[in-house]
Amino acid sequence: MPPWLVLLGVLALAVNLRAALAGYPPLLQTARAELGVTAGAAGLVQAGAVLMMSLGSFTASPLAARLGRERLLGCSVALIALGSLLRAVATLPALVGGSVLVGFGIGTAGVLLTGVVKEYLPERAGAVSGAYVVSMMVGATVSSAVAVPLAVALGGWSFSLAVWAVPAVLALGVWVPVAARIGRSGPSPDAPASVPGPETAGSRARPWQDPFARRVACYLAGSSGIFYGWLTWLAPLYESYGWSPQRAGLLLSVWSIAQIPAALVMPAVAERRRRWRFWASLTVLSGTAGTLGTLLLPGATTIAPWVWAVLIGIGVGAGFPLGLAVIAWRTPDAARSAAVSGFALGIGYLAAGLGPLVMGLLIDLTGGFPAAVVLLLASALLQAGAIWRIGDRPVTGTPTTGTPATGTPATGTPPAR
């Protein structure tokens, strides 16, 4: 099985893991006005999608055991295409239903994709992880930038949302022959054989009983809440200040672009310097500074909104992979790492799903955005508290929270956000 062929399939799938969600926020105010719904109802669309991502991440492994990982990956991308097409109907039930399908497909595919990389590209796991995270972010950036122009060109916001069925179908066309060849050839000859090892006390423990797992869950809940809160409401916030939908969509694209270098650089520096707490704190400070800027000085100068967007982008872009990295560094084996990350990501996605909804309700109740932005500051405070409790990476460890005595971090491929 040529590694480049697997890589092509992985990148084609990764493009679709955010694009369909990122295309909605620049059109939110337009859809809300046409459908005559409240901000809370509009926020429910994104909240429902993210909550289904949580469900998809929890159920991906059991479903893959029954259907097969490669086949289920294809089904997940097909769900993204189907949900996008359903959103072509300009009604609230179709918008919510389509978004729910998109969210479940994304959550399931994001978990399964990591297994494909670990099994078929083991010696290139780090590089491939960076490549597919960047591919995912590029899809989100392009989607938010072209959402409004597409709506104008196609004659409606619903048609703009439906366009994202096209890259999903194309990805499916790339993945089906790759999955067929994988099924015939089996794992890469370079892939290490799976050898059962002794089960540690940390592997047997339930993750919610582990203080470290609970702290990481709080960290990812804060990080994911900030990410999806701004993904949903950054563009509408500046539209409320009089910006055009096109300009607000461009601001969201700048926010997305700022995440790419942060996601690639900061986790690597934190690993090299052995100072996870410092670099994780730096990301929270960056995101908090940008959030305070939008709250207190949203348009102090012409360039100010763009600066705030970049600062927030750096914070959320580096915050998520740093959370995944500390799980890999602190867990003693692959089984424990999967248990902790599954628990923490599930909690994180639940927070991410409820965040946009609560923000929408606060906007309705108060008639403005300040209270909703304060909720994001509270999420940053939760994340900062978790960073302080997690602390810097230890040199030696315990069965549940330790690292090897050599201090070498565990290797692994982080799942998509």
Side-chain angles (χ1 to χ4, degrees):
M1 187 65 192
W4 67 266
L5 195 57
V6 181
L7 177 61
L8 179 63
V10 167
L11 296 181
L13 295 173
V15 169
N16 294 277
L17 295 187
R18 288 298 176 271
L21 293 181
Y24 173 65
L27 302 169
L28 188 150
Q29 294 288 61
T30 303
R32 179 184 168 191
E34 183 174 324
L35 297 177
V37 299
T38 64
L44 178 64
V45 174
Q46 201 80 331
V50 179
L51 289 173
M52 289 303 291
M53 287 174 63
S54 176
L55 180 61
S57 66
F58 281 128
T59 59
S61 294
L63 287 175
R66 295 172 65 95
L67 302 176
R69 182 179 53 207
E70 287 74 24
R71 181 183 300 176
L72 184 57
L73 256 174
C75 293
S76 301
V77 179
L79 274 182
I80 296 173
L82 180 62
S84 298
L85 284 175
L86 182 59
R87 297 198 295 182
V89 181
T91 64
L92 184 62
L95 179 60
V96 173
S99 299
V100 162
L101 291 179
V102 167
F104 187 81
I106 289 174
T108 304
V111 172
L112 298 177
L113 206 56
T114 64
V116 171
V117 174
K118 288 179 181 178
E119 184 167 353
Y120 298 102
L121 300 165
E123 294 183 352
R124 306 168 180 85
V128 173
S129 298
Y132 87 67
V133 168
V134 169
S135 180
M136 181 180 69
M137 290 179 172
V138 167
T141 301
V142 172
S143 175
S144 59
V146 304
V148 174
L150 279 176
V152 173
L154 298 176
W157 58 268
S158 59
F159 299 126
S160 177
L161 294 178
V163 161
W164 300 107
V166 175
V169 171
L170 293 176
L172 195 59
V174 172
W175 179 249
V176 168
V178 172
R181 291 195 62 176
I182 285 176
R184 291 196 299 268
S185 64
S188 164
D190 297 330
S194 184
V195 180
E199 190 179 34
T200 66
S203 299
R204 293 193 301 269
R206 295 179 176 86
W208 54 86
Q209 296 176 334
D210 182 358
F212 171 71
R214 294 197 297 268
R215 291 165 189 168
V216 176
C218 289
Y219 175 91
L220 289 177
S223 174
S224 298
I226 296 168
F227 176 85
Y228 285 99
W230 279 124
L231 176 65
T232 305
W233 293 109
L234 180 62
L237 169 66
Y238 275 93
E239 286 182 54
S240 73
Y241 293 144
W243 286 36
S244 67
Q246 292 89 341
R247 192 181 179 198
L250 183 59
L251 182 68
L252 191 62
S253 298
V254 170
W255 173 77
S256 298
I257 291 171
Q259 296 175 41
I260 297 175
L264 292 175
V265 173
M266 283 198 174
V269 174
E271 181 178 8
R272 187 177 301 115
R273 301 294 184 183
R274 304 290 193 267
R275 297 183 65 192
W276 181 87
R277 177 189 282 176
F278 172 80
W279 291 100
S281 299
L282 195 61
T283 64
V284 174
L285 288 175
S286 177
T288 301
T291 301
L292 284 172
T294 61
L295 178 64
L296 304 177
L297 302 167
T301 63
T302 304
I303 199 175
W306 308 95
V307 173
W308 308 145
V310 168
L311 288 173
I312 297 169
I314 292 172
V316 297
F320 184 75
L322 279 169
L324 298 176
V326 80
I327 294 174
W329 297 340
R330 299 290 183 85
T331 47
D333 51 47
R336 189 61 187 167
S337 180
V340 172
S341 62
F343 170 71
L345 284 170
I347 297 297
Y349 282 140
L350 286 174
L354 294 174
L357 175 60
V358 175
M359 289 178 70
L361 294 175
L362 289 173
I363 292 167
D364 286 335
L365 289 173
T366 62
F369 284 82
V373 176
V374 169
L375 181 64
L376 297 180
L377 292 174
S379 297
L381 185 62
L382 174 65
Q383 188 181 359
I387 291 170
W388 182 257
R389 295 298 304 278
I390 291 170
D392 280 320
R393 172 181 167 223
V395 177
T396 58
T398 63
T400 58
T401 62
T403 58
T406 59
T408 303
T411 57
T413 305
R417 184 199 287 261

